[in-house]
Amino acid sequence: MAVGPVQLLVLGFDNAGFHGEIAQELERLRESDTVRVIDALAVHKDAQGEIEVQHLSNLTREEAIELGSKVAALVGLGIAGEEGMHAAAEIGAEQAAAHGIEVFDDEVAWDVIGEIPNDSAAALILLEHHWAVPLRDAVVRAGGFRVSDGFISPLDLVEIGLVSREEAERLHALETAHQPA
């Protein structure tokens, strides 16, 4: 099976009281073969910056066994303290390299855990975009390659006339505001 483009989403929450809405939407996307959740972790960071990790996933049991904890390995999050963190990062880098995936090096490292504010929670979701496989393959057949990618802020869409200022501000507020549970 061809692996689609993979993206790490880091979603912040004021508290760790997940209600299942996100999991339900991810399951709907999985059932439509739009995305596959490769792995997901819930991270709670207390007021002192200490973290607690819980594994989340909509993988089947067989998929979970095959894939292991890819998010922990990718972001260098180990169960056995700092030593485990470095070991997890090394294992993740080796596994990623074996599959042709370039991991973050020290110069461009993304400190995912460091970006999570103290006294909050985050969901770290590693998604495979199934919908993009035919597009990616067509680009490759045409001799193309990925130069860069990224999400565009709704505020930047105003300048090109795609959304109104009011709509952009509303969407931006939805994406970035801390909402009460």
Side-chain angles (χ1 to χ4, degrees):
M1 177 175 94
V3 174
V6 175
Q7 176 183 25
L8 177 63
L9 291 175
V10 181
L11 308 171
F13 300 89
D14 287 330
N15 62 55
F18 301 108
H19 303 287
E21 276 185 83
I22 297 168
Q24 289 172 356
E25 182 58 20
L26 288 170
E27 184 59 32
R28 186 190 69 74
L29 291 169
R30 175 193 171 135
E31 288 172 359
S32 68
D33 204 32
T34 304
V35 300
R36 173 175 69 129
V37 175
I38 295 172
D39 192 20
L41 295 178
V43 176
H44 178 261
K45 203 177 214 186
D46 69 17
Q48 290 73 42
E50 296 296 318
I51 60 170
E52 182 180 321
V53 178
Q54 178 183 0
H55 193 258
L56 308 169
S57 183
N58 71 345
L59 294 176
T60 65
R61 179 172 157 39
E62 292 78 22
E63 290 171 330
I65 290 169
E66 174 191 343
L67 293 169
S69 186
K70 301 300 186 200
V71 171
L74 185 64
V75 301
L77 183 61
I79 303 303
E82 189 155 337
E83 193 174 300
M85 200 177 283
H86 293 299
E90 287 175 24
I91 291 167
E94 289 170 11
Q95 291 174 348
H99 290 91
I101 299 169
E102 210 172 297
V103 296
F104 307 119
D105 62 25
D106 288 339
E107 292 179 19
V108 295
W110 178 20
D111 185 4
V112 173
I113 302 303
E115 288 187 14
I116 300 169
N118 286 359
D119 205 23
S120 71
L124 283 65
I125 305 170
L126 195 61
L127 286 179
E128 175 189 6
H129 293 275
H130 282 189
W131 64 268
V133 171
L135 174 62
R136 182 207 47 215
D137 293 349
V139 169
V140 169
R141 285 191 302 274
F145 53 92
R146 180 174 55 102
V147 174
S148 183
D149 58 59
F151 285 105
I152 306 299
S153 167
L155 298 175
D156 295 326
L157 299 177
V158 173
E159 297 301 318
I160 62 171
L162 194 58
V163 296
S164 70
R165 165 75 51 202
E166 295 78 24
E167 180 67 4
E169 288 172 355
R170 184 185 72 75
L171 291 171
H172 182 71
L174 283 174
E175 292 178 355
T176 59
H178 292 269
Q179 301 293 322

